[in-house]
Amino acid sequence: MKGLIPDQITKEVQYSCHLVVFTGAGVSAESGIPTFREAQTGLWERFDPEELASPAAFRRDPALVWGWYEWRRMQVQKARPNPAHLAIVELAQRVPKLTVITQNVDDLHERAGSAEVIHLHGSLHEPRCFACGRAYAGVVTDLKDQPSSERLEPPRCARCNGRVRPGVVWFGEYLPQQAMRSALDAARHCDCLLSIGTSGVVMPAARIPEVALENGAAVVHVNVQPVEVSGPGEYSLVGRAGELLPALLQQAFPTS
Ligand code: OAD
C-alpha cells in the first residue's frame, strides 16, 4: 500500500486536529448500494426522480413511492459496511476530533461504528407521518425480497391516520435545520475535510467542502473520477474509497 497516497495529503490527515469526513453515495457503492448519477447503474439513470422523490410524487402515488423506498431500505438492510466505512471509524480514534457528515440515507456509517453521524438528507430508517410529522415506530425489520417496482401501501400514523412517508429529504424540501447548522459549523472550524464519493452537484450539501476550503482547511476529494481542484490546499485522489481510505489510514497512522 505504501506510496498510494501523496505525502502532502498524508500529512494533512496526520496533523489534523479536527477532521471532517463528508460522504456521498460513492462511499457505499462498494457495499452494493447504487449511486445516483453514474451512467447505467445510477438510480437517477434508471428511475425518474419526479415520479419518486418529491412531496408531489408521494401525493400522486403514495404506494409507488413507498414501495420504491422500501426496496431501497431492503438493499441497505442486506448490505454491510465496507473498508471505507471501517477506515473512517479507525481515523476517528487517531485524530483529536472527527465529524462525519453524510448525504447518504443508509446507516452504514453507524453500523461500521461511527458515532453521531450528521445526516443531511435524512434516513431511510426514520419514517414519519406525511400529515402530522410524528415519527413512525412500526418499522418492519425483516423486509421481504421485493422488486423495485412493487407498489406498497404506506402504513398509517397511529395518531392522525395520515400516510407514513420515508424519512428522507425530497427534491423541493429543506434540509433538516439542525443537521445543516452542525455541518456548516464543522466545515467552518475543521482543518482538513475528506470529501468522499460525491458528485458535489446537489445544493446546499455541496457547499460543505467549499465552506471548509474558504475557511482555510485542506480539502481532499476521494473519487473514482478525477475532481477538478481550484488551487493549493485542495487535492484529488482518484480511486475506490474502499482502497484509498484504508491506504490513507495506514500511511498517516502506520500500525507496523
Ligand atoms: P452521486 O451518484 O451524484 O455521485 C456519486 C459519486 O461517487 C460519483 O462522483 C462517483 O464517481 C463516485 N463513486 C462511485 N463509486 C465510488 C467508489 N467506490 N469510491 C469513490 N467514489 C465513488 O451521489 P451523491 O453525490 O451522493 O439526494 O448525490 C447527492 C444527492 O443526490 C444524494 O444524497 C441524493 C441524490 O439526489 C437526495 O436523495 C436528497
Side-chain angles (χ1 to χ4, degrees), residues 1 32 39 50 70 86 105 137 146 152 160 185-186 191 195 201 231 248:
M1 262 185 205
E50 287 195 11
E70 284 297 90
L86 298 170
V105 293
Q146 61 170 54
L152 272 181
C160 76
D185 186 59
D191 48 25
S195 176
V201 295
L248 179 59

Side-chain angles (χ1 to χ4, degrees), residues 23-27 29-30 34-38 42-44 53 69 72 103-105 121 168-171 175 196-202 222-225 227 239-242:
T23 63
V27 82
E30 289 158 71
T35 59
F36 291 93
R37 292 179 181 78
E38 283 176 283
L43 287 174
W44 296 152
Y69 278 95
R72 286 185 57 199
Q103 298 164 88
N104 297 344
V105 293
H121 291 165
V168 303
V169 175
W170 280 329
F171 290 103
L175 270 54
I196 306 169
T198 178
S199 55
V201 295
V202 175
V222 177
N223 200 300
V224 287
Q225 301 291 337
V227 174
R240 289 152 68 100

Side-chain angles (χ1 to χ4, degrees), residues 58 61-67 136 152-157 162-166:
F58 189 72
D61 196 342
L64 177 77
V65 173
W66 183 258
Y136 177 66
L152 272 181
E153 203 47 54
R156 294 279 180 168
C157 173
R163 288 194 173 88
V164 171
R165 59 161 284 175

